[in-house]
Amino acid sequence: SVDLSRVVQFSDEHPDQLQFRRSDDAGKEDIFVFGGDAFDQGPGDVRIAKALVNFKKKYPDRVILLVGNRDVNKIRLTAELGEDALDIPQPVPTYPRAPPHVEYRDFVQKVASQRGTTVDDENTRTNRLHWILEHTMSAKAAFESRRKELSILHKVPEAGISDEDVTQHFLDSVWQEDGIYLQYLQHGQVAALIGNTLFVHGGVPPLSVGWVPGENLRYTTPLDDLDCTNGRHLPTGHTAQEWIDAWNACYHNSLREHQEKP
C-alpha cells in the first residue's frame, strides 16, 4: 500500500499521481524503486501502472521501475493472439510449482462442450486470451479484473464492457505506442545498483555474475545449474555497474527488436 510508504504518497491535488513525501533538501536524495509485476494484481493495475510511468517521467533519475515476469510476458500477446491454429506448442516450458499444462485444443473443446457449440466456433481471440492468461501466465482472474478496470476508467457498467473490448485492450496495451504495457516496459529496467545494493525482480544465480544473455536466448525450464553458454561474459575486472548496464542494454535492445518485428 502506498499509505505505508515512507518515501512516496499520492498527491492531494491530483489523487491519481504519485509524489515524494519529503519536499525539503533532504528529500531530494530520496529514491523510489518499484520491484516489478505491476500487472495481473487485480483491478487497478492499469491505473497504478500509469501512475508509476508518470512518476518515472517526472523523476527519471530518482524513480526506478523494475520489470517482472508479469510485465515482460505480455509482449507475447502480439504474436500469440494473431494465431488461429488449434494445435500449437506450449509457449513456455514448465517451471517449478507450475500447474499441469492444458493444451489449447483441450481448453477450447471444454468451452465448446459447455456451450453446445463446436471447436471451430470457440477458436476465437478471446478464448485464446483466456487460455494464455489461465494456463500459461497463471493469471486466471486477469481477464475479469481488466473488465472491471475498464468499466471504472470509462465510467460505464461492467456489462457495457464486452469480451472483445477486454481482449482488444490487452492487445492495444502492448501494441499501441501509448499502450500501458509498452509504456511500462519502455521505462523499466532489469536491474539497478544503488550504493552497494542490487535491486532485481526475483534473484541472481551465483553463476550468472558477469554474464549477459544472448538476445536470441529462448526461455527454458530453470535448472539447478544455470547454463551461461548462450551469451557473453564481461572481461575480468568488470564492475557491478558495468554488468548491470549491460543487462539493461540487452533488455532494451530486445524490446526495440520486438517493436520492430512483433
Side-chain angles (χ1 to χ4, degrees), residues 4-17:
L4 299 177
S5 175
R6 293 182 294 176
V7 177
V8 300
Q9 63 185 11
F10 282 113
S11 167
D12 291 333
E13 185 177 356
H14 303 285
D16 60 341
Q17 297 181 15

Side-chain angles (χ1 to χ4, degrees), residues 71-130:
D71 311 314
V72 176
N73 65 10
K74 300 305 181 293
I75 64 176
R76 291 169 37 199
L77 297 179
T78 53
E80 293 176 28
L81 287 182
E83 297 175 343
D84 56 14
L86 281 163
D87 298 302
I88 57 176
Q90 288 286 340
V92 293
T94 302
Y95 57 90
R97 300 178 301 281
H101 272 166
V102 173
E103 300 296 333
Y104 177 61
R105 177 180 286 274
D106 294 337
F107 176 83
V108 174
Q109 285 178 331
K110 182 177 179 180
V111 173
S113 176
Q114 292 171 340
R115 296 178 176 175
T117 56
T118 68
V119 168
D120 287 338
D121 289 335
E122 300 301 339
N123 183 23
T124 64
R125 283 200 317 173
T126 292
N127 281 332
R128 193 174 294 267
L129 178 59
H130 274 294

Side-chain angles (χ1 to χ4, degrees), residues 138-155:
S138 298
K140 181 178 180 178
F143 192 92
E144 290 305 320
S145 291
R146 182 58 52 85
R147 190 195 307 275
K148 184 173 184 178
E149 178 78 339
L150 291 176
S151 75
I152 293 171
L153 290 171
H154 296 296
K155 299 179 180 180

Side-chain angles (χ1 to χ4, degrees), residues 40 69-83 88-93 95 101 128-139 170-171 173-175 181 185 218-219 255 258 261-262:
D40 300 347
N69 53 292
R70 293 192 176 277
D71 311 314
V72 176
N73 65 10
K74 300 305 181 293
I75 64 176
R76 291 169 37 199
L77 297 179
T78 53
E80 293 176 28
L81 287 182
E83 297 175 343
I88 57 176
Q90 288 286 340
V92 293
Y95 57 90
H101 272 166
R128 193 174 294 267
L129 178 59
H130 274 294
W131 174 74
I132 291 170
L133 292 172
E134 182 175 349
H135 294 290
T136 77
M137 294 184 179
S138 298
F170 268 93
L171 188 56
S173 293
V174 70
W175 178 262
Y181 290 144
L185 293 173
R218 296 182 64 84
Y219 183 91
L255 183 60
H258 175 268
K261 301 176 182 179

